[in-house]
Amino acid sequence: MAMDNKKVVILVLLDLSAAFDTVNHSILLAWLQKRFGVKGEALDWFRTYLMNRTQTVSLPGGAKSGAQNLTFGVPQGSVLGGVLFCVYTSPIGDILHAQDMSYHLYADDLSLYLALEPNYDHCQIYAIIYPIFRYLAIFSLISILHIGRRLFSR
């Protein structure tokens, strides 16, 4: 539709797969309660599921590390891990709706569709996507927050 209106469409693709390991349990539990209304025993069940988790590393030959407490992350490869990651990233939708931006968010893949006038200024792109990158950086879903002019060269 944007192209039919003679607009330039820019697609920004973000893969947040490493972000599964950065989910803050306290924030996730707060969002389950405040954003999704999870309370009582159900919230306690999620708390038990997330808290007091440990991880060990086993090597061929029997070598094994000591148990390390996990205070961040959701289990990957499980249905619940993906659902919890979606809960954790749900505020992204609020930010994108406020920017009136088209997007597709599926688990750890985020596609942003920017429709701009053909004579757009590079600063427009920065102003549009900065809030989302800022959110991702604040909640440790990305580790780099650098957007330079060279990234947007024509």
Side-chain angles (χ1 to χ4, degrees):
M1 181 134 169
M3 289 176 42
D4 293 337
N5 293 328
K6 307 282 191 242
K7 292 193 175 187
V8 174
V9 178
I10 297 172
L11 174 63
V12 178
L13 300 171
L14 299 170
D15 180 354
L16 306 173
S17 58
F20 272 84
D21 297 329
T22 66
V23 171
N24 181 306
H25 295 165
S26 298
I27 294 170
L28 175 59
L29 290 167
W31 285 342
L32 279 167
Q33 184 176 16
K34 293 175 185 170
R35 293 179 64 89
F36 295 94
V38 178
K39 301 175 188 166
E41 287 183 35
L43 187 62
D44 289 340
W45 184 87
F46 281 108
R47 185 176 289 109
T48 302
Y49 178 76
L50 291 169
M51 301 296 187
N52 302 316
R53 297 180 75 86
T54 60
Q55 174 178 310
T56 59
V57 176
S58 300
L59 300 174
K64 188 175 180 180
S65 71
Q68 297 293 316
N69 289 327
L70 296 177
T71 56
F72 290 89
V74 292
Q76 295 181 46
S78 68
V79 173
L80 190 54
V83 170
L84 291 174
F85 186 76
C86 288
V87 167
Y88 192 72
T89 57
S90 64
I92 293 172
D94 298 340
I95 296 167
L96 297 172
H97 284 294
Q99 295 280 343
D100 197 28
M101 188 182 306
S102 298
Y103 70 95
H104 181 82
L105 177 61
Y106 180 75
D108 60 353
D109 294 316
L110 175 60
S111 304
L112 306 174
Y113 307 95
L114 311 177
L116 303 168
E117 296 298 326
N119 58 347
Y120 71 91
D121 181 347
H122 293 95
C123 293
Q124 282 180 279
I125 299 171
Y126 181 81
I128 292 169
I129 65 174
Y130 178 78
I132 191 66
F133 278 93
R134 184 172 182 270
Y135 171 86
L136 295 172
I138 287 170
F139 291 100
S140 302
L141 296 170
I142 59 172
S143 58
I144 299 171
L145 183 58
H146 174 74
I147 303 171
R149 186 173 188 94
R150 295 182 66 183
L151 179 64
F152 302 114
S153 62
R154 290 188 192 187

